[in-house]
Amino acid sequence: MHENSVSSPRSQGHLAIITAPLAGHLNPAQVLAGALIDRGWRVSVVHVDEARRFITHPAVHFSGLPRGAAPALEPYLATLVEPSGPIRLTRMIRATAAMTDRLLTEAPAVLERIGATAVLADAVEPAGPLIARKLDLPFAVAVTGLPLLREADVPPPFLGWRYRADAVGRFRNRSGYAVTDWLMRPVTRVLNARRRDWGLTPEGKLPCIQIAQCPQGLDYPRRDVPPGFFYGSPWRAEETDDFHAPNDPRPLVFCSLGTLQGSRRALFATMAEACARVGARAVIGHGGGLSVAEEAGLPGDPLVRAFWPQAAVLRRCSAAILHGGFNSVLDALAAGVPIVALPIGFEQPGTAARLVRIGAARMLSPRRLSVRTLADALQDVMVRPSYRAAARSIAAEIAGGGGADRAAAAITAALASPA
């Protein structure tokens, strides 16, 4: 919906959402936005104009940044799907820094023009809090993935290190954070330059609230959770589509690599063949990454679509093979389904390591993966009851977490009294 649409008649104010221009962040953000609209907020997503295509909620407005001379989104997305390696990581961080810089340059004027009275900033996009500080607006932080809270006992969320609350673990974590800081220098330079230009201190005011999709039981133990940070449960809309399982005695296994990595045909073929080897049938969602011919060529008689009603499918599955994307992981856990995790990048290794720690998953490297290795891990999580029991334990926490409604109520209460 465009910014000149009719706003809610019982307005709390105009909330501007600043997040990453990715479906994995914008989809849960829109569900949260819907719950905020129900509480009287007018909500606008602010980003590069090409991100408009991700906005599907009929009551969520979109306000684009001024059009640049060249497309901004497609080159950025291209850096996220390049093969893993140091060159890819460097390009991705530089592209992220450029996107943050553009938001810092252009978004403040957009927020002033639309009359924003508060900001909801995704934790992965540091431009949001800084823009709120420049405009002296109250702001909340939405944590769509793993909590980005630095703590001595907890490794950086982008690393698949296990939890160690001892001197060795803390030394290792310090090294991990030091390397992370070094790699993220392009982003840090952008932020520091803008703080100087705007006369802001590095500390600044804190968000009114930080609220996460992540259930506390999934995260590593923490000693120093800051005031105003709250764990929660997934922000999901109720699906209108159902999944009619085929008349087939074979157990079903949901297989997904998310929306960015869905073109990895060879990895999907390994999944489908591994499922067939253990007597299961793969249900593959590739997010539009495969052609019709590539779909037809997958082994093992899988069920294949670009998109499935994911929650409905998972309720009928015996296991899931996932890349560790946070939304898919939460959906599988909400259904009490054990997981074989194949983390590719971003915070996926950290998510997979947490799944292993709670006993809900096996983790394998997608770069050194054979059909036999994957089939053995899949058989293990399907047969051993402890994996499903661990997933169901988190499912119970998710069921009582309140989802987007509880998150929206907490955000509304916090922004109503920002002091």
Side-chain angles (χ1 to χ4, degrees):
M1 180 176 277
H2 298 278
E3 56 205 276
N4 59 355
S5 301
V6 177
S7 63
S8 171
R10 46 189 179 85
S11 178
Q12 294 271 4
H14 193 165
L15 187 66
I17 294 180
I18 299 178
T19 182
L22 305 170
H25 292 268
L26 281 165
N27 288 343
Q30 288 181 80
V31 176
L32 178 57
L36 288 161
I37 290 166
D38 289 343
R39 283 164 176 75
W41 290 95
R42 174 185 170 99
V43 178
S44 295
V45 173
V46 177
H47 219 294
V48 295
D49 198 65
E50 303 100 299
R52 187 186 302 268
R53 70 175 189 256
F54 295 119
I55 306 304
T56 58
H57 194 293
V60 174
H61 304 255
F62 183 87
S63 294
L65 304 181
R67 278 187 189 273
L73 184 58
E74 295 307 326
Y76 172 69
L77 295 179
T79 67
L80 306 183
V81 298
E82 290 178 353
S84 300
I87 295 176
R88 176 254 192 179
L89 182 61
T90 300
R91 286 175 179 164
M92 182 187 71
I93 292 172
R94 288 177 178 169
T96 299
M99 189 66 77
T100 295
D101 189 46
R102 183 167 178 190
L103 281 166
L104 291 169
T105 300
E106 300 176 8
V110 174
L111 265 65
E112 289 183 316
R113 176 172 58 81
I114 66 176
T117 59
V119 172
L120 180 62
D122 194 314
V124 301
E125 178 46 76
L130 207 54
I131 291 168
R133 290 177 58 197
K134 172 182 170 53
L135 300 177
D136 196 26
L137 297 176
F139 68 99
V141 171
V143 185
T144 51
L146 287 177
L148 304 179
L149 302 174
R150 185 173 296 205
E151 190 171 317
D153 291 345
V154 179
F158 311 104
L159 298 172
W161 292 349
R162 67 184 182 90
Y163 179 77
R164 288 194 60 166
D166 58 17
V168 173
R170 286 188 284 273
F171 174 79
R172 177 204 61 184
N173 295 342
R174 283 197 300 273
S175 301
Y177 283 117
V179 172
T180 300
D181 290 342
W182 185 82
L183 290 170
M184 294 300 292
R185 287 177 303 165
V187 176
T188 304
R189 282 195 290 265
V190 165
L191 297 173
N192 287 341
R194 201 56 57 118
R195 286 191 193 100
R196 288 193 300 269
D197 292 345
W198 290 346
L200 302 174
T201 62
E203 296 80 16
K205 66 179 181 181
L206 297 175
C208 299
I209 188 175
Q210 298 184 67
I211 193 153
Q213 285 197 100
C214 182
Q216 187 169 7
L218 176 58
D219 197 15
Y220 283 153
R222 294 184 181 273
R223 303 173 189 267
D224 300 313
V225 176
F229 180 94
F230 298 94
Y231 289 96
S233 58
W235 306 331
R236 296 290 183 274
E238 289 194 17
E239 290 181 340
T240 56
D241 294 337
D242 198 4
F243 171 66
H244 301 286
N247 186 16
D248 189 328
R250 291 173 292 179
L252 300 177
V253 175
F254 183 63
C255 303
S256 172
L257 297 173
T259 53
L260 286 176
Q261 304 294 340
S263 61
R264 295 177 180 249
R265 190 263 173 200
L267 191 50
F268 279 125
T270 301
M271 294 178 182
E273 192 170 347
C275 289
R277 184 169 292 198
V278 301
R281 191 177 191 185
V283 183
I284 293 176
H286 57 76
L290 300 184
S291 67
V292 174
E294 288 173 323
E295 287 184 357
L298 291 172
D301 188 31
L303 301 169
V304 188
R305 285 188 195 172
F307 298 98
W308 293 92
Q310 189 162 286
V313 170
L314 282 162
R315 285 194 295 269
R316 291 163 175 79
C317 285
S318 298
I321 305 174
L322 306 172
H323 66 316
F326 207 67
N327 293 313
S328 296
V329 163
L330 290 179
D331 286 347
L333 292 175
V337 172
I339 298 166
V340 178
L342 309 175
I344 295 171
F346 311 110
E347 62 185 22
Q348 295 157 18
T351 301
R354 285 159 172 79
L355 289 168
V356 171
R357 182 179 183 275
I358 64 174
R362 290 277 302 272
M363 175 169 56
L364 302 174
S365 169
R367 290 182 290 277
R368 298 184 297 274
L369 190 66
S370 68
V371 172
R372 179 178 178 178
T373 301
L374 180 55
D376 288 346
L378 180 59
Q379 182 77 15
D380 190 28
V381 302
M382 290 174 67
V383 171
R384 195 180 302 182
S386 61
Y387 289 104
R388 183 169 289 273
R392 285 177 172 171
S393 175
I394 301 298
E397 183 181 350
I398 287 173
D405 286 338
R406 183 173 292 180
I411 290 169
T412 299
L415 291 178
S417 52

